[in-house]
Amino acid sequence: MSLVLDAAAQDLLFREARTANTFTDEPVTDEQVRAIYDLVKYGPTSMNQSPLRVTLVRSPEARERLVQHLAEGNRSKTAAAPLVAILSADNEFHEELPHLFPHFPQAKDAVFGERPVREGSAALNAALQAAYFIIGVRAAGLAAGPMTGLDFEGVRKEFLDDDHTPLMVVNIGRPGPDAWFPRSPRLEFEQVVTTV
Ligand SMILES: Cc1cc2nc3c(=O)[nH]c(=O)nc-3n(C[C@H](O)[C@H](O)[C@H](O)COP(=O)(O)O)c2cc1C
């Protein structure tokens, strides 16, 4: 009763949504990915820095190169998924900051002039955006299969550059047969929330 989001949307985004391990052959179009991004780009980040970058792995050749860097248990489902995205953090996000945070344009150099500061901030905020992205995939009626079981340095060298840090790889599509493990328990409110 306390939530204003309608119950069907709550189910779609959270209660009924699952992490998929198999997918149907139905393609995921660029239009769907654009619709997902154009929704989740409004998720908040520190100083609106928006460091998430998304690399869509579409060609069979690129898919093959990616699969080699995944943990064994993540390979076959990634090879078969309709779409795979590499989510990364742009450690040079500050170049866009005068545009993205126009009421404090000096932040580009005054706050984010040092690379280690940028890397820490990009890691946190791109991870937030990765979570928004996963929920956005669900909002499109699709299922996501995020993975961190991979050789991060290998993925970075293969697909990115020194300015980008890979966060995770996400399989995207409609769930196929036996798509998920039994639902695992979650921590209860009392285990997580304290009040001071
Ligand atoms: C950041 C992240 C990394 C994950 N890495 C892997 C992985 O490498 N391989 C895998 O099979 N599942 C991976 N998972 C899936 C989780 O185990 C799964 O989302 C979790 O158990 C909840 O499952 P449910 O959504 O079906 O309830 C990952 C999930 C997240 C969010």
Side-chain angles (χ1 to χ4, degrees), residues 149-169:
L150 54 97
D151 170 8
F152 284 90
E153 187 55 16
V155 169
R156 193 189 63 71
K157 282 188 177 146
E158 192 81 47
F159 293 97
L160 305 171
D161 59 30
D162 285 342
D163 291 335
H164 293 80
T165 304
L167 297 171
M168 66 186 75
V169 171

Side-chain angles (χ1 to χ4, degrees), residues 18-19 21 74 77 138 146-149 168 183 186:
R18 299 296 313 276
T19 299
N21 295 296
N74 289 333
K77 60 185 173 185
R138 295 170 171 187
M147 295 167 292
T148 50
M168 66 186 75
R183 183 71 122 175
R186 299 309 203 249

Side-chain angles (χ1 to χ4, degrees), residues 22-24 57 63 76-84 170-173:
T22 72
F23 299 91
T24 69
V57 182
R63 188 76 65 96
S76 59
K77 60 185 173 185
T78 305
L83 180 62
V84 182
V170 185
N171 293 332
I172 303 168

Side-chain angles (χ1 to χ4, degrees), residues 28-42 54 56 58 83 133 136-137 140 142 172:
V28 176
T29 66
D30 286 342
E31 289 69 29
Q32 286 173 296
V33 179
R34 182 176 293 273
I36 291 165
Y37 179 71
D38 282 339
L39 178 66
V40 305
K41 69 185 179 186
Y42 292 108
V54 180
L56 300 178
R58 283 222 182 264
L83 180 62
F133 183 84
V137 167
L142 301 169
I172 303 168

